[in-house]
Amino acid sequence: MTKTDPCPFYIGGEWLEPKLSTTPVYNPSTGDVIAECPVGGTAEVNAAVEAAAAAFPGWMETPPVERARVFFRFKMLLEENFEDLVRCNTREHGKTLVESRGDVKRGIEMVEFACGVPSLLMGEVLENIARGIDCEAIRQPLGVCAGITPFNFPAMVPLWMYPIAIVSGNTFVLKPSEKVPLTAIKIVKLLEKAGLPKGVINIVHGGREVVDGLLTHTKVKAISFVGSTPVAKYIYEVGTKHGKRVQSNGGAKNFVLLMPDADVQNSTRGVIEAAFGCAGERCMAGSTAVVVGGAEKTVLPTLIEATRKIKVGPTDRELQPDMGAVITKQHRDRVLQLIDAGVKEGAKIPADGRGVKVNEAPNGFYVGATILDHVQNNMTVAREEIFGPVLNVMHLDDLDAAIEMANKSFYGNGASIFTRSGKAAREFKHRINCGMVGINIGVPASMAWFPFNGWNDSFFGDLHMQGREGVQFFTQQKVTTSRWFSYGEGDIWHK
């Protein structure tokens, strides 16, 4: 029997293992249970929020440069423990070591950005807005903030949230996904080691009761969320109903347009990475390739051939495959059901990953890289986010038709085009209805200094994560108008 890892709560600076019911944490490569995640409830939420609320006054009064110095030390510790975090990430998620290195690296970039947040907290002053009257605007923290994170990026997504929130002067309660809690715990232990005071960050585990507890708690001022669109909409509606700021990232169906003049090798590589990287389990996956005109004779055959060559296997060992497992058996079965539905509804399947065999790890949760060709808008696979290693292929005659079709999507995270034509690229960039655009780039996810900019049903809220908008989300402005009289001047001194 595999020994399971501890999975504690972190409340008020104490690591706690209360006796609660648990849910299994799997190694997707093998199907083994590697941890038991406790299912907290209202009591644990209340304890974590109260600890964060108690720590807030002292942390708010800590000078911003001192808050940032904690994160300089934190960044150094993340780099020193990089490979340990990478292997933990891979073990509980199933992505390859290369993909886990990207996950952790992008998280560290957010910490780098947070180290510079004091410069973004600076206010504005205007003298003499009227005679003898000055006006200043400053940014102050909100209070207790909370983050609810998904399974697909155990390191990066939590680090989208709490570094900016904490450097801005807030305290934080994190609820990591119960499917991948171990990486989040390791990272917070490093933040503790960096010198963060007790109570400034807290971890609670659990399901809907914990989520609802955070959404409705009167002392929680802001909620950050990443997950599926139905849940993102629920988070936004309930959170705002209870007077909280909410930034809620949902799912997507991201389009990649392949133009007739696209470079065959580079566009193939870009689409393969976009569609099958992290086994397709990401909201920026290029899940639909739109083959425009002659590209069906140039790019598509090479794309099909490359997909068939993708090696699937266990990622928790030194010899690495091209792609790992999906997160759970239940999710694997859902992906397989959606592939079956696409075939039944008329899609062709030139690359079929349903029967993939992994002899060295037969109990892992594997789906091979799959292409569904000639997908139509009315098919289930065209409407639903599959969140697996499945690429839909659509065929359209020209750029106008491709943009018109892509713009019918309810989602709006990202879209990309592969072309040598500056005119086509500019037209696409200008007209496509989404928040992040790639030109000869398969995954146009923005880096830490820019907002993660979903539109439509991919995002609910007003201020996005990352960048300047992230700082604005976790702070509120206070405007002071002042006038000072000389001694004896004005009615107050008049006798």
Side-chain angles (χ1 to χ4, degrees):
M1 183 174 180
T2 304
K3 182 180 178 181
T4 58
D5 292 357
C7 190
F9 291 77
Y10 185 57
I11 297 176
E14 302 296 329
W15 293 99
L16 308 170
E17 296 189 53
K19 295 188 181 299
L20 299 167
S21 61
T22 62
T23 58
V25 179
Y26 294 98
N27 176 348
S29 289
T30 63
D32 294 332
V33 175
I34 58 174
E36 294 285 349
C37 185
V39 180
T42 303
E44 288 73 31
V45 170
N46 289 341
V49 173
E50 291 298 333
F56 173 65
W59 186 244
M60 176 185 176
E61 294 301 325
T62 302
V65 290
E66 291 186 22
R67 301 196 296 248
R69 285 175 189 142
V70 173
F71 280 80
F72 276 109
R73 295 192 292 270
F74 180 44
K75 174 182 176 291
M76 180 183 69
L77 289 168
L78 290 170
E79 291 170 340
E80 289 175 356
N81 292 272
F82 184 81
E83 282 300 318
D84 180 49
L85 295 173
V86 164
R87 291 179 185 278
C88 179
N89 194 320
T90 284
R91 181 167 171 253
E92 68 176 344
H93 178 274
K95 63 179 70 178
T96 67
L97 290 174
V98 168
E99 291 163 347
S100 281
R101 289 185 184 108
D103 186 345
V104 177
K105 182 179 177 182
R106 292 298 289 267
I108 292 174
E109 287 171 358
M110 284 303 303
V111 176
E112 286 178 336
F113 175 76
C115 290
V117 160
S119 65
L120 298 178
L121 296 175
M122 295 171 65
E124 299 173 316
V125 178
L126 181 61
E127 285 188 318
N128 290 322
I129 59 164
R131 293 186 183 276
I133 297 177
D134 303 331
C135 192
E136 65 174 356
I138 61 172
R139 289 198 168 274
Q140 292 186 329
L142 304 175
V144 179
C145 301
I148 302 164
T149 60
F151 74 82
N152 58 330
F153 284 90
M156 181 186 74
V157 173
L159 291 170
W160 276 356
M161 300 175 184
Y162 63 77
I164 294 178
I166 292 173
V167 175
S168 296
N170 302 284
T171 54
F172 206 86
V173 178
L174 173 66
K175 194 210 87 66
S177 169
E178 65 278 8
K179 296 181 177 68
V180 292
L182 303 177
T183 303
I185 290 169
K186 275 184 175 287
I187 290 175
V188 169
K189 284 183 176 180
L190 294 177
L191 184 51
E192 179 187 42
K193 188 176 180 180
L196 192 71
K198 292 182 177 182
V200 175
I201 191 166
N202 305 269
I203 297 177
V204 289
H205 304 290
R208 182 159 182 167
E209 185 178 347
V210 169
V211 170
D212 285 343
L214 293 170
L215 289 173
T216 59
H217 200 293
T218 56
K219 291 186 179 179
V220 174
K221 302 302 181 183
I223 298 280
S224 297
F225 173 81
V226 176
S228 68
T229 286
V231 181
K233 189 173 182 181
Y234 173 81
I235 296 288
Y236 178 75
E237 290 174 348
V238 176
T240 54
K241 180 181 177 180
H242 287 84
K244 304 181 193 320
R245 287 190 180 186
V246 180
Q247 49 181 197
S248 196
N249 287 272
K253 293 290 283 188
N254 303 311
F255 292 84
V256 181
L257 273 60
L258 297 168
M259 299 300 290
D261 64 347
D263 180 279
V264 173
Q265 297 303 320
N266 287 325
S267 59
T268 297
R269 189 181 305 112
V271 175
I272 290 290
E273 178 187 335
F276 304 120
C278 299
E281 294 174 316
R282 53 186 179 186
C283 63
M284 288 301 292
S287 56
T288 302
V290 183
V291 179
V292 179
E296 68 179 0
K297 295 181 179 179
T298 55
V299 182
L300 185 55
T302 305
L303 180 59
I304 292 170
E305 180 183 1
T307 301
R308 290 172 176 167
K309 292 179 179 178
I310 292 175
K311 182 183 178 183
V312 181
T315 57
D316 61 344
R317 53 207 72 185
E318 292 307 313
L319 186 61
Q320 289 281 291
D322 301 313
M323 188 176 77
V326 297
I327 189 68
T328 61
K329 178 182 182 297
Q330 292 76 15
H331 186 57
R332 178 196 65 191
D333 293 346
R334 177 183 177 273
V335 172
L336 293 174
Q337 289 168 6
L338 284 168
I339 296 172
D340 290 343
V343 174
K344 288 177 183 176
E345 291 175 5
K348 308 301 180 185
I349 189 162
D352 189 349
R354 290 175 293 182
V356 65
K357 302 292 184 185
V358 180
N359 295 327
E360 63 268 42
N363 296 319
F365 312 133
Y366 296 102
V367 181
T370 299
I371 291 179
L372 292 172
D373 197 7
H374 294 283
V375 169
Q376 304 298 319
N377 260 334
N378 61 346
M379 293 181 180
T380 303
V381 291
R383 299 192 309 272
E384 291 193 25
E385 185 180 31
I386 299 174
F387 222 64
V390 181
L391 176 66
N392 295 337
V393 175
M394 295 181 168
H395 297 252
L396 288 166
D397 293 334
D398 55 41
L399 178 62
D400 286 341
I403 292 174
E404 181 181 353
M405 186 276 301
N407 283 349
K408 292 178 180 178
S409 173
F410 294 112
Y411 299 104
N413 252 2
S416 297
I417 186 171
F418 283 87
T419 182
R420 288 187 174 96
S421 168
K423 181 179 185 300
R426 186 184 186 281
E427 188 76 6
F428 176 79
K429 178 179 72 171
H430 178 65
R431 291 171 53 193
I432 198 70
N433 183 23
C434 71
M436 289 172 279
V437 177
I439 297 173
N440 297 319
I441 292 174
V443 182
S446 54
M447 293 183 69
W449 296 265
F450 292 89
F452 191 84
N453 209 45
W455 285 9
N456 308 326
D457 281 1
S458 292
F459 179 74
F460 301 90
D462 298 304
L463 293 168
H464 293 84
M465 296 176 184
Q466 300 190 162
R468 188 180 297 272
E469 282 194 44
V471 177
Q472 291 170 346
F473 177 80
F474 286 116
T475 57
Q476 55 193 346
Q477 291 196 91
K478 179 181 286 184
V479 179
T480 301
T481 305
S482 58
R483 178 166 123 187
W484 296 96
F485 298 107
S486 299
Y487 182 77
E489 176 187 357
D491 292 342
I492 192 171
W493 300 104
H494 188 267
K495 292 184 179 181

mmCIF file of all heavy atoms in Angstrom, residues 65-81:
data_model
loop_
_atom_site.group_PDB
_atom_site.id
_atom_site.type_symbol
_atom_site.label_atom_id
_atom_site.label_comp_id
_atom_site.label_asym_id
_atom_site.label_seq_id
_atom_site.Cartn_x
_atom_site.Cartn_y
_atom_site.Cartn_z
ATOM 1 N N VAL A 65 7.469 48.305 1.474
ATOM 2 C CA VAL A 65 8.788 47.779 1.094
ATOM 3 C C VAL A 65 9.175 46.595 1.973
ATOM 4 O O VAL A 65 9.834 45.651 1.513
ATOM 5 C CB VAL A 65 9.875 48.872 1.145
ATOM 6 C CG1 VAL A 65 9.662 49.876 0.037
ATOM 7 C CG2 VAL A 65 9.914 49.564 2.512
ATOM 8 N N GLU A 66 8.764 46.600 3.239
ATOM 9 C CA GLU A 66 9.030 45.457 4.110
ATOM 10 C C GLU A 66 8.187 44.256 3.690
ATOM 11 O O GLU A 66 8.653 43.109 3.746
ATOM 12 C CB GLU A 66 8.753 45.823 5.572
ATOM 13 C CG GLU A 66 9.743 46.822 6.152
ATOM 14 C CD GLU A 66 9.517 47.053 7.632
ATOM 15 O OE1 GLU A 66 8.911 46.179 8.297
ATOM 16 O OE2 GLU A 66 9.925 48.121 8.127
ATOM 17 N N ARG A 67 6.948 44.496 3.281
ATOM 18 C CA ARG A 67 6.115 43.405 2.779
ATOM 19 C C ARG A 67 6.757 42.797 1.531
ATOM 20 O O ARG A 67 6.802 41.565 1.372
ATOM 21 C CB ARG A 67 4.708 43.923 2.467
ATOM 22 C CG ARG A 67 3.986 44.529 3.669
ATOM 23 C CD ARG A 67 2.509 44.688 3.464
ATOM 24 N NE ARG A 67 2.113 45.602 2.414
ATOM 25 C CZ ARG A 67 1.505 46.767 2.596
ATOM 26 N NH1 ARG A 67 1.247 47.201 3.837
ATOM 27 N NH2 ARG A 67 1.155 47.515 1.574
ATOM 28 N N ALA A 68 7.272 43.657 0.671
ATOM 29 C CA ALA A 68 7.899 43.164 -0.553
ATOM 30 C C ALA A 68 9.159 42.358 -0.253
ATOM 31 O O ALA A 68 9.459 41.384 -0.953
ATOM 32 C CB ALA A 68 8.236 44.332 -1.480
ATOM 33 N N ARG A 69 9.897 42.735 0.798
ATOM 34 C CA ARG A 69 11.122 42.013 1.123
ATOM 35 C C ARG A 69 10.847 40.563 1.515
ATOM 36 O O ARG A 69 11.672 39.683 1.255
ATOM 37 C CB ARG A 69 11.877 42.747 2.238
ATOM 38 C CG ARG A 69 12.580 44.007 1.752
ATOM 39 C CD ARG A 69 13.216 44.781 2.880
ATOM 40 N NE ARG A 69 13.690 46.086 2.383
ATOM 41 C CZ ARG A 69 13.619 47.204 3.083
ATOM 42 N NH1 ARG A 69 13.110 47.195 4.305
ATOM 43 N NH2 ARG A 69 14.062 48.340 2.556
ATOM 44 N N VAL A 70 9.704 40.313 2.135
ATOM 45 C CA VAL A 70 9.319 38.935 2.425
ATOM 46 C C VAL A 70 9.234 38.147 1.120
ATOM 47 O O VAL A 70 9.682 36.994 1.026
ATOM 48 C CB VAL A 70 7.963 38.879 3.161
ATOM 49 C CG1 VAL A 70 7.490 37.431 3.308
ATOM 50 C CG2 VAL A 70 8.072 39.536 4.522
ATOM 51 N N PHE A 71 8.728 38.785 0.079
ATOM 52 C CA PHE A 71 8.553 38.082 -1.188
ATOM 53 C C PHE A 71 9.837 37.987 -1.988
ATOM 54 O O PHE A 71 9.993 37.071 -2.808
ATOM 55 C CB PHE A 71 7.400 38.728 -1.988
ATOM 56 C CG PHE A 71 6.069 38.263 -1.485
ATOM 57 C CD1 PHE A 71 5.506 38.827 -0.353
ATOM 58 C CD2 PHE A 71 5.405 37.217 -2.091
ATOM 59 C CE1 PHE A 71 4.300 38.368 0.149
ATOM 60 C CE2 PHE A 71 4.203 36.754 -1.607
ATOM 61 C CZ PHE A 71 3.647 37.330 -0.478
ATOM 62 N N PHE A 72 10.787 38.883 -1.752
ATOM 63 C CA PHE A 72 12.122 38.676 -2.316
ATOM 64 C C PHE A 72 12.737 37.398 -1.747
ATOM 65 O O PHE A 72 13.318 36.582 -2.468
ATOM 66 C CB PHE A 72 13.032 39.876 -2.010
ATOM 67 C CG PHE A 72 12.889 41.024 -2.979
ATOM 68 C CD1 PHE A 72 12.276 42.207 -2.590
ATOM 69 C CD2 PHE A 72 13.379 40.925 -4.268
ATOM 70 C CE1 PHE A 72 12.149 43.269 -3.474
ATOM 71 C CE2 PHE A 72 13.255 41.980 -5.169
ATOM 72 C CZ PHE A 72 12.637 43.158 -4.770
ATOM 73 N N ARG A 73 12.594 37.217 -0.420
ATOM 74 C CA ARG A 73 13.113 35.994 0.198
ATOM 75 C C ARG A 73 12.340 34.771 -0.280
ATOM 76 O O ARG A 73 12.919 33.696 -0.514
ATOM 77 C CB ARG A 73 13.036 36.109 1.724
ATOM 78 C CG ARG A 73 13.934 37.195 2.307
ATOM 79 C CD ARG A 73 14.050 37.099 3.806
ATOM 80 N NE ARG A 73 12.803 37.402 4.505
ATOM 81 C CZ ARG A 73 12.447 38.618 4.909
ATOM 82 N NH1 ARG A 73 13.224 39.666 4.666
ATOM 83 N NH2 ARG A 73 11.320 38.803 5.557
ATOM 84 N N PHE A 74 11.037 34.928 -0.438
ATOM 85 C CA PHE A 74 10.178 33.843 -0.925
ATOM 86 C C PHE A 74 10.599 33.414 -2.324
ATOM 87 O O PHE A 74 10.711 32.214 -2.620
ATOM 88 C CB PHE A 74 8.735 34.340 -0.906
ATOM 89 C CG PHE A 74 7.699 33.358 -1.378
ATOM 90 C CD1 PHE A 74 7.714 32.027 -0.977
ATOM 91 C CD2 PHE A 74 6.674 33.787 -2.206
ATOM 92 C CE1 PHE A 74 6.727 31.135 -1.398
ATOM 93 C CE2 PHE A 74 5.687 32.915 -2.630
ATOM 94 C CZ PHE A 74 5.720 31.586 -2.229
ATOM 95 N N LYS A 75 10.868 34.370 -3.194
ATOM 96 C CA LYS A 75 11.314 34.061 -4.552
ATOM 97 C C LYS A 75 12.609 33.246 -4.520
ATOM 98 O O LYS A 75 12.758 32.260 -5.260
ATOM 99 C CB LYS A 75 11.521 35.343 -5.351
ATOM 100 C CG LYS A 75 12.125 35.129 -6.736
ATOM 101 C CD LYS A 75 12.330 36.454 -7.440
ATOM 102 C CE LYS A 75 13.020 36.250 -8.785
ATOM 103 N NZ LYS A 75 14.427 35.825 -8.662
ATOM 104 N N MET A 76 13.535 33.627 -3.669
ATOM 105 C CA MET A 76 14.796 32.900 -3.561
ATOM 106 C C MET A 76 14.551 31.457 -3.110
ATOM 107 O O MET A 76 15.139 30.512 -3.650
ATOM 108 C CB MET A 76 15.714 33.607 -2.557
ATOM 109 C CG MET A 76 17.074 32.943 -2.366
ATOM 110 S SD MET A 76 18.073 33.790 -1.116
ATOM 111 C CE MET A 76 17.139 33.372 0.364
ATOM 112 N N LEU A 77 13.653 31.258 -2.162
ATOM 113 C CA LEU A 77 13.347 29.915 -1.674
ATOM 114 C C LEU A 77 12.652 29.082 -2.743
ATOM 115 O O LEU A 77 12.892 27.873 -2.864
ATOM 116 C CB LEU A 77 12.480 30.007 -0.420
ATOM 117 C CG LEU A 77 13.194 30.530 0.826
ATOM 118 C CD1 LEU A 77 12.193 30.853 1.929
ATOM 119 C CD2 LEU A 77 14.217 29.514 1.324
ATOM 120 N N LEU A 78 11.780 29.704 -3.524
ATOM 121 C CA LEU A 78 11.138 28.988 -4.633
ATOM 122 C C LEU A 78 12.177 28.502 -5.633
ATOM 123 O O LEU A 78 12.099 27.369 -6.127
ATOM 124 C CB LEU A 78 10.117 29.890 -5.325
ATOM 125 C CG LEU A 78 8.840 30.217 -4.544
ATOM 126 C CD1 LEU A 78 8.051 31.305 -5.262
ATOM 127 C CD2 LEU A 78 7.965 28.967 -4.382
ATOM 128 N N GLU A 79 13.137 29.338 -5.929
ATOM 129 C CA GLU A 79 14.181 28.947 -6.875
ATOM 130 C C GLU A 79 15.077 27.851 -6.296
ATOM 131 O O GLU A 79 15.467 26.920 -7.015
ATOM 132 C CB GLU A 79 14.994 30.181 -7.267
ATOM 133 C CG GLU A 79 14.193 31.156 -8.119
ATOM 134 C CD GLU A 79 14.883 32.487 -8.332
ATOM 135 O OE1 GLU A 79 15.793 32.827 -7.540
ATOM 136 O OE2 GLU A 79 14.504 33.196 -9.285
ATOM 137 N N GLU A 80 15.385 27.942 -5.008
ATOM 138 C CA GLU A 80 16.230 26.925 -4.378
ATOM 139 C C GLU A 80 15.533 25.566 -4.327
ATOM 140 O O GLU A 80 16.184 24.520 -4.369
ATOM 141 C CB GLU A 80 16.605 27.364 -2.965
ATOM 142 C CG GLU A 80 17.592 28.527 -2.925
ATOM 143 C CD GLU A 80 17.848 29.010 -1.507
ATOM 144 O OE1 GLU A 80 17.197 28.486 -0.572
ATOM 145 O OE2 GLU A 80 18.684 29.928 -1.335
ATOM 146 N N ASN A 81 14.209 25.575 -4.223
ATOM 147 C CA ASN A 81 13.434 24.331 -4.102
ATOM 148 C C ASN A 81 12.684 24.007 -5.391
ATOM 149 O O ASN A 81 11.711 23.251 -5.378
ATOM 150 C CB ASN A 81 12.452 24.458 -2.942
ATOM 151 C CG ASN A 81 13.146 24.520 -1.606
ATOM 152 O OD1 ASN A 81 13.420 23.511 -0.983
ATOM 153 N ND2 ASN A 81 13.443 25.743 -1.154
#
